[in-house]
Amino acid sequence: MLFIWGISILISYLLGSISFSYLFTRWLKGVDIRNYGSGNAGATNTLRVLGTGPAAIVFVLDALKGVASVGIGNWMSHGDHIMMVVCGIAAVVGHNWPVFLRFRGGKGIATTVGVAASCFFGATLISGILAILFIAVTRYVSLGSLVLTIFIPIVMWIMNYSGLMIGLMLIITAMAILRHKQNISNLIHGTERKIHFKGEDA
């Protein structure tokens, strides 16, 4: 049993460590995305460096890493919900600290969406709508990301999820807050960069 858990977690971590933002910028521009924009290997920085289309693809692929990791946990454990979430956590860890990129990756939000939507769909949907509203009004993707990850366990509590499931989700929330530490500081000091779309004044 421990062997199965270990293999499932390792596979999920390695899957999460595949950085599509890094690969896309290497393929399309021949550069390391971590040397441009915010320096983050994720969908938002891909938007800044490559544009809307590649960023949307990167977001979907990163989210699918989360979905796939939960699927691995489900398959290897024959439906053990704890293992499914733990494998999802491993994928987020892989995205944030990828072994293939010397542990310098992204912030894990798209992968978190994939994991949370697979495991806690209703709570993720409600929190996702709130996050999109915050982004639409403020144009701060970082704020929307924090709203998403903070509200999912809150909505889970309202929806009477078990304490264990809420606790596992809180691990993901804590990772998101840790990875957004600089963004939080920027938001407090009014220096956080807003997202802009094609045709808008920057």
Side-chain angles (χ1 to χ4, degrees), residues 107 146 175-186:
K107 296 178 181 176
L146 290 165
M175 285 194 289
I177 293 172
L178 175 64
R179 296 297 287 170
H180 283 82
K181 183 170 61 175
Q182 184 59 54
N183 302 93
I184 293 169
S185 176
N186 292 343

Side-chain angles (χ1 to χ4, degrees), residues 30 37 47 57 78 81 143 150 161 168 186 194 197 199:
L47 176 61
I57 295 171
H78 304 289
H81 287 179
L143 181 59
I150 289 170
Y161 276 85
L168 290 172
N186 292 343
K194 294 185 177 183
F197 300 97

Side-chain angles (χ1 to χ4, degrees), residues 41-180:
T44 301
N45 205 30
T46 303
L47 176 61
R48 296 188 182 103
V49 177
L50 295 180
T52 306
I57 295 171
V58 166
F59 184 92
V60 171
L61 290 174
D62 283 346
L64 287 175
K65 292 192 303 187
V67 175
S69 67
V70 172
I72 289 168
N74 180 41
W75 177 58
M76 295 288 281
S77 68
H78 304 289
D80 186 321
H81 287 179
I82 296 173
M83 188 167 177
M84 290 163 63
V85 181
V86 169
C87 285
I89 292 172
V92 177
V93 172
H95 181 88
N96 294 349
W97 299 281
V99 66
F100 305 129
L101 298 181
R102 297 184 179 180
F103 307 103
R104 185 181 159 209
K107 296 178 181 176
I109 298 303
T111 306
T112 292
V113 169
V115 173
S118 299
C119 298
F120 325 113
F121 181 78
T124 305
L125 178 62
I126 293 169
S127 302
I129 292 171
L130 286 173
I132 291 169
L133 289 174
F134 269 84
I135 294 171
V137 172
T138 68
R139 295 301 176 91
Y140 291 127
V141 174
S142 58
L143 181 59
S145 299
L146 290 165
V147 166
L148 172 74
T149 55
I150 289 170
F151 268 86
I152 290 175
I154 293 173
V155 177
M156 288 173 65
W157 175 71
I158 294 171
M159 297 176 71
N160 292 317
Y161 276 85
S162 72
L164 178 57
M165 288 294 108
I166 294 172
L168 290 172
M169 182 60 216
L170 282 171
I171 294 174
I172 300 177
T173 301
M175 285 194 289
I177 293 172
L178 175 64
R179 296 297 287 170
H180 283 82

